[in-house]
Amino acid sequence: MQPDSAIYRARRERVLEQLGDGVMVIATAPEVARNRDTHYPYRHDSYFYWLTGFNEPEAVVVLVGGAAPRHILFCREKNEEREIWDGFRYGPAAAREVFAFDDTFAYDTLDAELPRLLENQPTLAYLIGRDMAWDTQVMGWLNTVRSKARSGVHAPNRMVDARIWLDEMRLVKDGHELALMRRAAEISTGAHRAAMRATRPGGHEYEIEAELLSAFRRGGAEAPAYTSIVASGANACVLHYVFNNRPLRDGDLLLIDAAAEFGSYAADITRTFPVNGRFSAAQKDAYELVLAAQAAAIDAVRPGNHWNSPHEAAVRVLTQGMVDLGLLQGEVDGLIESGGYSRFYMHRTGHWLGMDVHDAGEYKLQGEWRPLVPGMTLTVEPGLYIRPADDVPEAFWNIGIRIEDDVVVTGSGCEVLTTPPKTVAEIEAWMNL
């Protein structure tokens, strides 16, 4: 599928407006060896792709600001032999036309060309400190320029972390991005429905993972957005459980945290449901508490509220519910102030979502939680994780519940993008058709 080069060109022009006089250099991700002569499936760097729409390895985008701005791409040359083995390459000439660049160069000319592009520039912006090998390469280019000082050439004397601009731009999604995120959410919703329908006592967690992965690919997703969590019974109380190898037992809950990546944009969904299709009384009480906390948090996602508003809303509902269920003792305000609730709820209620599952963007500005504005996308994911203990009612032991949806801030509130069955009635009806 050909990229819409005008979208990426417009993004680069916005960056150049912020940069002013100077140069920005952003490399894509390297290929990573899995073992010996095989590699992990390639996935480009998100910053690079956001600026280019170009998904081949060994590529660098250079933006030159000032009175005569230039958009430059370094990429692999055409190579018939390597294309027989590895697949199609654009090459510099085609890439210039397809991706709307002013100039393109072969990737192996990077060390020769970059110092020339940096000569007499006041500012260099790149992703400082993210990759030590890349930092070393940048320092080499700067030293090459500095070696020409006697000829009247100077190197950039100001270094800027490119994330100060790119993170803010990526944080608020445009219509193109939201369309891709809606499709990722739609594919992921279908996968969760399939996983619920396939779950039954006697199976294994990995069988449900297989249902998810199959549904992702059938829906057209490139890959999972992250390693799928398929956690039954006590495993659901392990926040980042990924072994996915336990038998599914009658009477247990199954927590699935899994979603697809489509068009380089991620969804992120969690659902928790009974392996046998029917909630026990204790499971239902705990589940409906988390569901109420999520509803309160989603209601708090609206313009003018700050980032932490959904978390605060979820924590208050959860803490009151934990007191009501006998999991905690004390006054709700005191338990919130002391953090006593975190024994059973130890993570935040959401994170930014986009090209990365935990997407770019600061959560505070000048020490204060930032306000929500239309176009921001985030997850809302409260939970309860109840491990066995002498002071915990036995009916709640090993109940782990998380409910997570993806939302985009709108002009008046928010739009929920993800819609697998969520209420007790919906889940039980879907699983028992």
Side-chain angles (χ1 to χ4, degrees):
M1 182 172 63
Q2 293 287 345
D4 186 342
S5 60
I7 291 171
Y8 299 97
R9 177 92 186 186
R11 290 176 184 171
R12 297 194 297 269
E13 289 171 351
R14 287 172 58 201
V15 171
L16 284 168
E17 289 175 5
Q18 296 290 322
L19 178 65
D21 292 331
V23 176
M24 181 179 289
V25 183
I26 305 291
T28 196
E31 293 181 288
V32 179
R34 183 181 186 274
N35 61 307
R36 228 171 148 76
D37 60 350
T38 64
H39 288 76
Y40 286 104
Y42 183 70
R43 206 281 189 176
H44 45 257
D45 174 78
S46 294
Y47 290 104
F48 174 87
Y49 189 84
W50 188 85
L51 288 167
T52 65
F54 189 77
N55 63 2
E56 293 182 16
E58 297 186 307
V60 175
V61 59
V62 180
L63 302 180
V64 181
R70 295 168 67 196
H71 302 223
I72 302 169
L73 178 70
F74 289 81
C75 66
R76 301 179 303 183
E77 291 191 276
K78 295 288 288 183
N79 183 314
E80 183 177 345
E81 181 179 359
R82 289 318 313 166
E83 289 186 62
I84 291 171
W85 288 91
D86 302 326
F88 173 78
R89 298 181 177 191
Y90 279 97
R96 181 172 58 252
E97 298 303 318
V98 173
F99 296 90
F101 279 91
D102 300 320
D103 295 294
T104 50
F105 297 94
Y107 182 78
D108 59 11
T109 68
L110 200 60
D111 287 337
E113 296 293 339
L114 250 296
R116 286 198 279 270
L117 293 170
L118 293 175
E119 288 181 5
N120 300 318
Q121 294 288 349
T123 300
L124 169 61
Y126 76 101
L127 304 177
I128 297 172
R130 193 177 65 163
D131 181 281
M132 294 302 294
W134 182 250
D135 286 344
T136 299
Q137 193 168 8
V138 170
M139 290 306 108
W141 296 332
L142 291 173
N143 286 335
T144 297
V145 179
R146 292 179 184 124
S147 71
K148 300 180 180 181
R150 293 184 182 180
S151 302
V153 175
H154 69 80
N157 57 21
R158 179 173 175 250
M159 304 278 283
V160 180
D161 191 333
R163 283 167 284 209
I164 67 170
W165 298 308
L166 297 181
D167 281 4
E168 288 299 298
M169 292 181 185
R170 285 178 56 188
L171 182 55
V172 177
K173 273 57 179 181
D174 59 29
H176 171 73
E177 293 176 292
L178 290 175
L180 294 173
M181 294 189 73
R182 288 188 180 97
R183 181 57 184 151
E186 182 180 25
I187 294 168
S188 303
T189 292
H192 275 263
R193 288 180 173 272
M196 283 184 186
R197 188 63 66 79
T199 298
R200 60 186 56 86
H204 288 79
E205 293 167 346
Y206 55 75
E207 294 177 71
I208 306 308
E209 181 181 16
E211 290 287 338
L212 293 161
L213 299 178
S214 175
F216 294 161
R217 291 298 283 151
R218 285 199 309 270
E222 302 96 81
Y226 51 92
T227 302
S228 300
I229 296 170
V230 184
S232 63
N235 292 339
C237 295
V238 180
L239 299 184
H240 292 160
Y241 171 83
V242 293
F243 297 106
N244 301 348
N245 57 10
R246 181 179 181 272
L248 302 174
R249 294 175 181 147
D250 193 14
D252 282 349
L253 292 176
L254 178 62
L255 184 156
I256 298 177
D257 188 339
E261 178 176 291
F262 179 82
S264 297
Y265 284 80
D268 190 358
I269 303 176
T270 307
R271 288 293 186 268
T272 309
F273 53 91
V275 167
N276 63 15
R278 299 290 180 191
F279 287 87
S280 71
Q283 290 169 349
K284 180 179 178 181
D285 287 343
Y287 185 88
E288 290 189 332
L289 171 56
V290 177
L291 188 61
Q294 196 207 33
I298 289 174
D299 188 60
V301 178
R302 58 184 61 252
N305 281 357
H306 57 69
W307 162 259
N308 209 43
S309 297
H311 180 66
E312 292 170 354
V315 165
R316 180 157 294 277
V317 172
L318 286 170
T319 305
Q320 179 64 66
M322 284 186 265
V323 170
D324 295 341
L325 294 175
L327 299 173
L328 294 175
Q329 289 75 44
E331 296 295 326
V332 170
D333 287 342
L335 290 166
I336 292 174
E337 185 176 354
S338 68
Y341 67 88
S342 63
R343 177 182 175 185
F344 302 108
Y345 178 49
M346 62 292 295
H347 60 77
R348 304 289 300 177
T349 303
H351 52 78
W352 302 130
L353 182 68
M355 296 189 74
D356 300 326
V357 177
H358 289 212
D359 206 39
E362 296 292 338
Y363 293 94
K364 283 188 172 182
L365 298 175
Q366 299 178 333
E368 300 293 332
W369 295 114
R370 73 183 306 152
L372 299 174
V373 301
M376 289 178 169
T377 52
L378 57 144
T379 65
V380 182
E381 51 177 308
L384 278 181
Y385 311 92
I386 310 170
R387 293 173 177 271
D390 291 340
D391 60 344
V392 172
E394 189 171 351
F396 292 104
W397 287 7
N398 293 321
I399 287 180
I401 296 168
R402 183 163 62 252
I403 307 171
E404 178 181 21
D405 285 299
D406 307 338
V407 304
V408 55
V409 183
T410 64
S412 58
C414 69
E415 173 191 354
V416 179
L417 303 179
T418 45
T419 59
K422 186 162 64 172
T423 68
V424 167
E426 289 170 345
I427 289 170
E428 290 186 345
W430 180 251
M431 294 185 70
N432 290 283
L433 282 176

